[in-house]
Amino acid sequence: EKRVLVTFGGGSVKKNGVYEQVREALKGFEVIEFWGIESNPKIETLREAIQLGRENQVDFLLAVGGGSVIDGTKLIAAGLLYDGDAWDLVLRGKARESLPLATVLTLPATGSEMNDGAVISCKETAEKYPFHSKHPVFSILDPSVTFTLPVYQVACGIADTYCLLYTSDAAD
């Protein structure tokens, strides 16, 4: 039986119905929930999730939220297979192995649901670095979920998208 660590942000998924959809879809699996991955995910929070995942011997992760939740879950998936501190992986910039993860996207913008990249922060040292791991094995994107987003969040997502497009073009 698969043991799935489901990661969340602040709780908007309980208001928009996504939480119930995820719970229904995961019937028959052992589900462990981790709440509280913040914007610009912090290593301090992700260490707690890694510990929870180890205690429950999870073998699959499902990130439910926006880019920050997905980014943080990429590091959690790698940190679960790493003997040292997950911040080492961030400083290295990549992980060779990670548990499989999937995503349920609720806030489009960063493309994290379809790439191998993440950005992880350290509150203690005020550092922030890119990190690369494996791509999600699948991603669920329901555009109707975005209809419930506050205008400010939609504006932030549009700004992120334009910044990504601009930096992608500049790199070519």
Side-chain angles (χ1 to χ4, degrees), residues 20-165:
E20 287 305 320
Q21 292 174 346
V22 167
R23 291 298 301 186
E24 182 66 28
L26 291 175
K27 276 189 176 166
F29 295 94
E30 185 170 338
V31 175
I32 297 91
E33 296 181 6
F34 182 84
W35 291 85
I37 297 177
E38 61 277 282
S39 295
N40 300 305
K42 313 265 182 300
I43 187 64
E44 294 85 355
T45 302
L46 304 178
R47 285 176 181 137
E48 294 175 29
I50 291 167
Q51 184 59 37
L52 180 66
R54 284 185 177 145
E55 289 168 3
N56 289 280
Q57 299 175 335
V58 300
D59 49 18
F60 193 87
L61 290 92
L62 180 64
V64 181
S68 291
V69 173
I70 297 169
D71 281 7
T73 304
K74 288 175 184 175
L75 183 64
I76 296 164
L80 283 165
L81 296 179
Y82 183 67
D83 286 336
D85 179 29
W87 187 246
D88 297 341
L89 297 172
V90 176
L91 293 176
R92 188 183 301 155
K94 65 181 179 192
R96 288 185 195 90
E97 16 171 34
S98 73
L99 289 176
L101 73 106
T103 77
V104 176
L105 184 69
T106 61
L107 175 66
T110 64
S112 194
E113 75 282 357
M114 56 158 231
N115 65 40
D116 69 351
V119 177
I120 309 296
S121 301
C122 179
K123 183 178 179 182
E124 182 185 331
T125 60
E127 294 174 291
K128 186 182 205 179
Y129 297 111
F131 167 76
H132 294 272
S133 187
K134 293 186 178 172
H135 287 76
V137 294
F138 68 84
S139 292
I140 297 172
L141 297 85
D142 177 358
S144 67
V145 172
T146 64
F147 300 163
T148 65
L149 293 170
V151 172
Y152 176 77
Q153 291 294 337
V154 174
C156 289
I158 291 169
D160 277 355
T161 302
Y162 275 107
C163 289
L164 285 171
L165 291 172

